[in-house]
Amino acid sequence: GLRLVVSVDGGRPQAADAHGADVTSSYPELREMAAAIGSQRLILDGELVVVDAAGKSDPEALRARAEATDRTTVQRLLKRTPVTYLISDLLYLDGTLLLDTPLHARRRKLEKLKLAGPCWYTAPWFTGSGTAVRDTAKKQGLAGIVMKRLDSPYSPGTTSKDWRQLGVKA
């Protein structure tokens, strides 16, 4: 997937990639999500993916979307290879910055928002043994899983000691 931080303010989105570049115009699907959120002000963290007909992530199709910058190409690819935004974290909500809030509390707030639509939804999360999650990720053909401490704050721009990425061998 492609990591994106998406700010929504007054029903308008602004998306930044992992390097901080504004990529909003490359993903018009996010406008529908922002419109559904409405007047609420929030900042989300998540992954963009392209899902193929078999329901698996398609990294090549996502790469084509990420490389498209002109409006005509973006509109053509929008119809052929729509993206889905998998929301994994809530960083800001209606005037409150949540970076120091523990992950478990941020996730509870995120789940209460019930963010779900045709091209976005709150990604599932699991607690406990990573074995079942790893096995499920493997069956779905995912490249890996991210494990985070439930009491961890959000650390923007850094690789936190509170999370680990585990590759999943197919």
Side-chain angles (χ1 to χ4, degrees):
L2 175 66
R3 186 165 176 204
L4 284 189
V5 172
V6 178
S7 302
V8 177
D9 189 355
R12 292 180 308 277
Q14 182 160 357
D17 67 14
H19 305 290
D22 185 341
V23 295
T24 309
S25 62
S26 295
Y27 305 105
E29 296 95 331
L30 297 174
R31 287 193 298 254
E32 186 177 349
M33 179 187 77
I37 290 169
S39 63
Q40 226 167 8
R41 295 173 41 217
L42 46 83
I43 301 175
L44 305 166
D45 189 355
E47 296 274 330
L48 269 185
V49 296
V50 171
V51 180
D52 66 17
K56 295 190 177 190
S57 179
D58 185 343
E60 291 303 316
L62 180 61
R63 186 170 296 119
R65 280 298 302 271
E67 291 172 354
T69 55
D70 69 276
R71 187 173 185 188
T72 303
T73 304
V74 169
Q75 288 301 315
R76 181 175 41 81
L77 290 173
L78 171 66
K79 292 177 175 74
R80 193 171 68 205
T81 53
V83 296
T84 299
Y85 186 49
L86 305 176
I87 305 160
S88 59
D89 212 337
L90 178 65
L91 313 181
Y92 176 90
L93 178 62
D94 289 332
T96 303
L97 190 60
L98 301 170
L99 302 182
D100 292 329
T101 303
L103 173 63
H104 64 86
R106 294 192 315 271
R107 282 296 303 210
R108 276 198 306 271
K109 288 178 183 295
L110 177 59
E111 289 176 0
K112 285 181 182 178
L113 295 173
K114 299 186 186 305
L115 300 177
C119 60
W120 72 91
Y121 63 90
T122 300
W125 71 311
F126 306 91
T127 59
S129 168
T131 304
V133 176
R134 183 199 63 219
D135 292 346
T136 300
K138 189 174 181 178
K139 286 177 189 172
Q140 293 180 358
L142 301 177
I145 56 175
V146 176
M147 300 171 290
K148 298 181 181 185
R149 292 175 51 98
L150 292 174
D151 61 351
S152 66
Y154 186 89
S155 301
T158 64
T159 300
S160 171
K161 64 180 176 21
D162 291 322
W163 67 270
R164 300 283 183 265
Q165 192 165 3
L166 174 68
V168 178
K169 295 182 181 178

